[in-house]
Amino acid sequence: MVNETITDLPENLKGLADLAFNLWPSWHPEAQCIFKRLNKIGWKEATHNPVKMLHTVPKVALINASENTSYVNHYNAVMARYTRYMQRRTSWFSEHYPDYCKTALIAYFSAEYGLQHSLPFYAGGLGFLAGDHLKECSDMGVPVVAIGFMYSDGYLRQIINSDGWQEGVEEKIQRGNAPIKRIYAKNEKIILLKVPYIKPDIYFTLWKVEIGRVDLYLLDTDVEENAPEYRNITSRLYSSENEMRLLQEIVLGIGGGHALKELGISCSAIHLNEGHAAFAALERIRQYMEAGFSREEARDQVNRTLLFTTHTPVPAGHDKFPTWMMDKFFGEYYSQIGGRDAFLNLGRHIEDPPDYFNMTAFALKASTYANGVSKKHGEIARDMWKSLWDLGNAQQVPIGSITNGVHIPTWLNPKLETLINTIVSRSCPDWLQHHDEEYIWDLIAMLPDEELWEVHQMLKMKLIDRIREAKRRSWVQHEADAGSVLSGGLLLDPNVLTIGFARRFSTYKRADLIFHDMERIKRIVTMPYKPVQIIFAGKAHPADHEGKRILQRIFKIAQSPEFAGRVAFVEDYGEQISKYLVQGVDIWLNNPVPPLEASGTSGMKAGINGVLNLSIEDGWWIEGYNGKNGWSFGKSTSLENRDDATDANELYSILEEKVIPLYYAQALDGVPHEWVAMMKESIRSIAAPFSARRMVKEYVERYYIPTLTAACESKVNVEPK
Ligand SMILES: *Cc1c(COP(=O)(O)O)cnc(C)c1O
């Protein structure tokens, strides 16, 4: 039985339960502190998850807290702030678009969400982008409701065996300890829905995650009513088995659209975060037709109220399904939407083999608005999909771009924020409310070098502590042998220049590029007086053997004494370790094959924390690099003309000639002043333009408002004929 309510809280601390079931504390450190203060070790054991914390903390700790004035005052202050946040009537959105406030609502669909590690519903950047988008929408009062999956097995808990091969371990999410709430039907039974008109029947139930003021509904097919093979449709992210993948996308798009209707949530427009949920457009067409509109009217209306964001130039990132496979499930559905062939035609992309349905092609054809996720990616996407339009040149293809951003309150380290506050709050007390305005960040220049350096060094120490503690645990649990404890980070040294490389181990990201010339990199990392250490983390997709092979190569290098303990591989990359890394290393390395990194966001997270980017010129870094806030290389490389040797040599030269001398030019006070100047420039130049706030404002202004306007003007709002 799922224990969703926490009942036995002291009367004057009852609000802890509300707080625990909302993710708001995850970007308000002072709110997390009221859980941590209950029991510091318990908080660690509960892996910073407030729900688990309240389930496990001894009753006596709660009673003691309820009688402690200082604690109760702290609690009351946090609750007051939370209540104000939740009940606030005015917001950026309501002030700018008062006419849309009452009725407007945008349904946001995504196959993954990166929110908190107690909700392992993400594989990588796409998920974190969605999570940051929703948090920012909550902060700014943008009316969205989100749809996703309740992945009961998460993505993959990574364990590396002694031979360096990645193994996944089964780890079911404990629903009772996660910040999710079940949805009940009117009859007070657990809600049970069926994906409409899809045969055979697929049933699902619903959960809800509260992200500040935004609700995220999660679909869960693990119900008894389903045939056994359908129960696990929603258990894992991105099945590599095509039919399972199709079923997932049917449930997400069609089931998700149906769920909103059943919940009585009426949305004016849809935002598809990647093509996985494109069937949501189809379901909306069906719903309009069911309400009496003609096929043309329904299609037109959906088209004008649909925004589609495409996220990758990697061809395998665009799902396509053979039409015979679609026929297996859609037989009855076709008849509801005016026939099979016209629909299948919408998913036709002439570059595919015949008789395939391409989700991205469909999403592009079904939407008036579409965008890529950086300027460069916009260009690439226009070129990639130009054959869908009969246009002479790619420039006219109606795909725009909005460069990704990161949610500043989530990713800016609280200690750094406090330090910035000491300077900035003098001239702008509520600067965090204006964090997408660049002038705020100009004030960073006034930070004393020593203080910024001290905070940075402390964050590096915290990162290393955290890595060692994780290794200690896996040692205790017999999940690691002595060798992998060493290569997992035991030998890291906080005084050494530290490079971080952490992301999914997709082959195009070239995690092992830095080992292209083994002798040269060995010399670099073991240089007397000026050593370098490199921390790697990341997961390969379970079906990606090439990715696993690259991971194994790095793992073995980390274990080799020739590298002197200066290379570490940290297992199980996820939301938590990512935070420590992007806040605690000195250099953030990124070297994908251009133009395959559509945007990249981890470099933004690093940059706002004063971690200097050393990156291939691709994705967001083309826009972010200004000559003073990091380093850029790899101009000559491209997909057609991939030249790992040249890229690696350029990387080594930058390290040898620029990065290492600058870092070790530490004055007698122990501070590398020129380095710190670059850290300040990194924060100053990256925080505002690459904030999720700037991004969400752009989405609203350029796309949400036009779709909402189209919804208002439509005939569909009047009585159907
Ligand atoms: C930010 C983030 C990503 C995305 O990083 P990229 O630079 O886009 O590869 C992936 N995983 C985690 C855990 C993250 O926090």
Side-chain angles (χ1 to χ4, degrees):
M1 188 54 214
V2 178
N3 185 358
E4 288 155 47
T5 45
I6 293 162
T7 45
D8 48 357
L9 290 171
E11 201 51 43
N12 62 343
L13 300 180
K14 281 262 182 270
L16 284 176
D18 293 336
L19 213 52
F21 277 102
N22 192 307
L23 299 189
W24 181 84
S26 72
W27 72 98
H28 293 87
E30 80 282 7
Q32 285 181 52
C33 256
I34 61 173
F35 294 100
K36 183 176 173 180
R37 276 182 77 178
L38 290 171
N39 185 321
K40 217 169 156 182
I41 303 275
W43 179 240
K44 224 176 192 179
E45 293 292 329
T47 54
H48 300 185
N49 168 358
V51 175
K52 190 165 176 190
M53 182 75 187
L54 292 186
H55 281 312
T56 48
V57 72
K59 187 104 210 266
V60 52
L62 285 163
I63 293 170
N64 286 344
S66 74
E67 291 164 356
N68 178 301
T69 319
S70 143
Y71 184 87
V72 173
N73 287 345
H74 181 180
Y75 162 84
N76 286 336
V78 166
M79 284 312 289
R81 194 163 166 209
Y82 174 64
T83 311
R84 244 187 350 263
Y85 180 95
M86 294 300 287
Q87 295 175 352
R88 203 166 57 185
R89 291 245 171 73
T90 59
S91 65
W92 174 84
F93 188 84
S94 73
E95 280 165 15
H96 285 77
Y97 304 101
D99 299 344
Y100 292 93
C101 278
K102 292 258 153 33
T103 52
L105 187 60
I106 291 167
Y108 185 92
F109 284 79
S110 178
E112 55 172 305
Y113 291 91
L115 288 159
Q116 203 188 45
H117 81 118
S118 60
L119 301 173
F121 303 157
Y122 58 86
L126 177 70
F128 282 91
L129 180 84
D132 281 11
H133 189 94
L134 298 186
K135 289 176 190 170
E136 196 60 58
C137 284
S138 169
D139 288 348
M140 299 212 287
V142 179
V144 297
V145 59
I147 293 286
F149 276 142
M150 167 58 230
Y151 292 111
S152 51
D153 293 354
Y155 177 51
L156 155 88
R157 186 155 96 76
Q158 181 189 48
I159 288 196
I160 314 286
N161 74 16
S162 55
D163 193 37
W165 197 248
Q166 168 181 298
E167 289 171 354
V169 227
E170 281 283 325
E171 199 173 53
K172 286 258 173 210
I173 175 174
Q174 296 174 297
R175 288 176 172 82
N177 273 335
I180 52 177
K181 289 179 176 170
R182 256 194 195 290
I183 303 297
Y184 292 87
K186 287 196 193 72
N187 62 7
E188 296 181 0
K189 288 212 180 110
I190 289 171
I191 198 165
L192 183 72
L193 301 174
K194 191 173 82 169
V195 183
Y197 297 104
I198 294 296
K199 287 284 168 281
D201 291 343
I202 304 171
Y203 294 91
F204 62 95
T205 185
L206 291 171
W207 302 79
K208 183 169 81 167
V209 181
E210 294 169 3
I211 304 158
R213 293 183 288 180
V214 169
D215 290 335
L216 160 61
Y217 289 95
L218 303 173
L219 284 63
D220 183 356
T221 59
D222 188 9
V223 293
E224 283 171 10
E225 287 78 2
N226 270 334
E229 68 272 26
Y230 290 169
R231 283 188 72 153
N232 58 3
I233 291 177
T234 60
S235 52
R236 262 173 196 278
L237 280 89
Y238 305 129
S239 171
S240 43
E241 205 253 298
N242 217 22
E243 186 162 319
M244 186 50 129
R245 189 98 161 207
L246 174 60
L247 284 166
Q248 292 189 315
E249 300 188 6
I250 287 173
V251 172
L252 184 63
I254 299 178
H258 178 64
L260 287 172
K261 182 155 179 270
E262 290 296 305
L263 291 168
I265 298 173
S266 135
C267 298
S268 343
I270 291 183
H271 182 179
L272 300 175
N273 189 44
E274 193 52 289
H276 310 119
F279 291 140
L282 192 65
E283 171 60 11
R284 200 162 162 88
I285 293 171
R286 189 197 66 75
Q287 289 178 6
Y288 283 142
M289 290 177 68
E290 191 174 68
F293 291 93
S294 73
R295 189 172 79 178
E296 281 63 39
E297 284 168 328
R299 270 198 197 159
D300 180 59
Q301 183 55 16
V302 170
N303 200 287
R304 290 190 300 131
T305 54
L306 191 68
L307 165 64
F308 168 57
T309 303
T310 176
H311 280 269
T312 182
V314 180
H318 299 270
D319 289 323
K320 49 179 183 283
F321 302 107
T323 48
W324 63 259
M325 193 185 278
M326 308 262 304
D327 293 345
K328 266 175 87 170
F329 305 103
F330 276 84
E332 203 172 315
Y333 204 98
Y334 291 145
S335 61
Q336 301 299 310
I337 49 169
R340 172 184 185 271
D341 294 344
F343 160 57
L344 289 182
N345 237 335
L346 290 173
R348 182 86 196 99
H349 181 36
I350 44 172
E351 286 160 35
D352 292 342
D355 297 320
Y356 268 86
F357 186 91
N358 185 308
M359 295 297 277
T360 304
F362 170 66
L364 284 168
K365 287 193 216 175
S367 57
T368 300
Y369 304 97
N371 72 294
V373 290
S374 69
K375 291 197 175 104
K376 173 82 183 189
H377 177 232
E379 249 170 65
I380 300 290
R382 286 189 286 277
D383 190 56
M384 190 166 172
W385 299 101
K386 62 178 186 283
S387 64
L388 294 180
W389 287 270
D390 268 336
L391 293 170
N393 69 42
Q395 275 161 9
Q396 293 169 327
V397 169
I399 302 177
S401 73
I402 292 180
T403 303
N404 284 165
V406 294
H407 186 243
I408 300 284
T410 296
W411 297 103
L412 182 64
N413 178 272
K415 296 258 175 0
L416 186 56
E417 184 190 314
T418 306
L419 178 65
I420 295 172
N421 197 47
T422 58
I423 299 287
V424 178
S425 61
R426 282 186 226 145
S427 28
C428 185
D430 58 347
W431 62 280
L432 258 185
Q433 294 307 316
H434 299 276
H435 71 244
D436 62 327
E437 293 176 31
E438 306 203 3
Y439 74 89
I440 300 281
W441 302 94
D442 290 341
L443 299 166
I444 295 277
M446 283 151 60
L447 284 181
D449 285 2
E450 307 72 45
E451 291 183 28
L452 179 55
W453 185 247
E454 191 183 313
V455 167
H456 175 68
Q457 284 299 104
M458 188 189 70
L459 295 178
K460 203 201 273 189
M461 198 61 235
K462 275 184 75 162
L463 161 69
I464 293 176
D465 279 349
R466 160 64 218 249
I467 290 174
R468 290 183 183 156
E469 172 61 17
K471 275 283 100 163
R472 192 188 64 78
R473 278 170 192 238
S474 50
W475 174 248
V476 172
Q477 284 158 11
H478 301 281
E479 281 177 356
D481 59 26
S484 84
V485 172
L486 287 184
S487 63
L490 208 69
L491 302 175
L492 292 169
D493 177 346
N495 294 310
V496 168
L497 169 60
T498 305
I499 299 175
F501 184 103
R503 44 184 56 82
R504 287 181 300 115
F505 267 56
S506 302
T507 44
Y508 78 85
K509 297 202 183 229
R510 296 193 291 187
D512 61 348
L513 183 76
I514 201 168
F515 299 115
H516 190 82
D517 178 342
M518 289 292 269
E519 291 313 312
R520 191 152 170 202
I521 186 63
K522 212 181 290 168
R523 271 204 311 279
I524 291 173
V525 299
T526 58
M527 189 88 74
Y529 305 109
K530 293 178 181 174
V532 175
Q533 61 193 359
I534 317 174
I535 306 177
F536 287 92
K539 296 173 183 173
H541 186 280
D544 178 6
H545 271 249
E546 184 55 20
K548 288 187 192 172
R549 205 195 50 73
I550 294 173
L551 195 155
Q552 182 178 40
R553 173 161 188 236
I554 292 173
F555 186 88
K556 293 204 160 159
I557 290 171
Q559 297 217 321
S560 148
E562 290 175 51
F563 279 84
R566 299 292 191 210
V567 177
F569 187 91
V570 179
E571 273 161 291
D572 209 33
Y573 182 52
E575 177 259 346
Q576 277 194 319
I577 189 70
S578 156
K579 261 191 194 149
Y580 284 96
L581 280 167
V582 297
Q583 298 171 355
V585 298
D586 300 302
I587 288 283
W588 195 252
L589 175 66
N590 191 20
N591 45 231
V593 181
L596 296 182
E597 186 89 309
S599 167
T601 50
S602 60
M604 303 173 188
K605 300 168 191 167
I608 62 168
N609 284 289
V611 169
L612 301 179
N613 278 278
L614 168 52
S615 173
I616 284 264
E617 199 162 292
D618 195 18
W620 81 280
W621 191 232
I622 297 174
E623 295 160 58
Y625 176 60
N626 69 5
K628 296 177 293 189
N629 58 358
W631 294 272
S632 182
F633 67 105
K635 279 191 186 55
S636 55
T637 196
S638 70
L639 191 53
E640 300 79 37
N641 186 15
R642 173 173 167 168
D643 185 351
D644 290 353
T646 303
D647 291 346
N649 285 329
E650 218 181 318
L651 171 58
Y652 300 138
S653 299
I654 295 175
L655 284 172
E656 289 163 345
E657 290 158 25
K658 299 189 172 144
V659 177
I660 298 171
L662 200 68
Y663 181 87
Y664 284 107
Q666 301 185 353
L668 287 177
D669 60 5
V671 180
H673 291 278
E674 282 185 54
W675 184 278
V676 175
M678 281 186 79
M679 291 175 66
K680 289 180 186 176
E681 178 59 15
S682 168
I683 302 171
R684 188 200 68 75
S685 62
I686 293 172
F690 299 98
S691 63
R693 177 151 304 180
R694 186 274 309 150
M695 170 183 79
V696 167
K697 281 185 181 174
E698 273 194 69
Y699 273 107
V700 170
E701 286 157 5
R702 288 174 48 198
Y703 295 127
Y704 286 4
I705 293 300
T707 56
L708 293 175
T709 307
C712 292
E713 288 165 353
S714 96
K715 300 186 277 188
V716 177
N717 284 339
V718 296
E719 282 301 301
K721 40 185 190 202

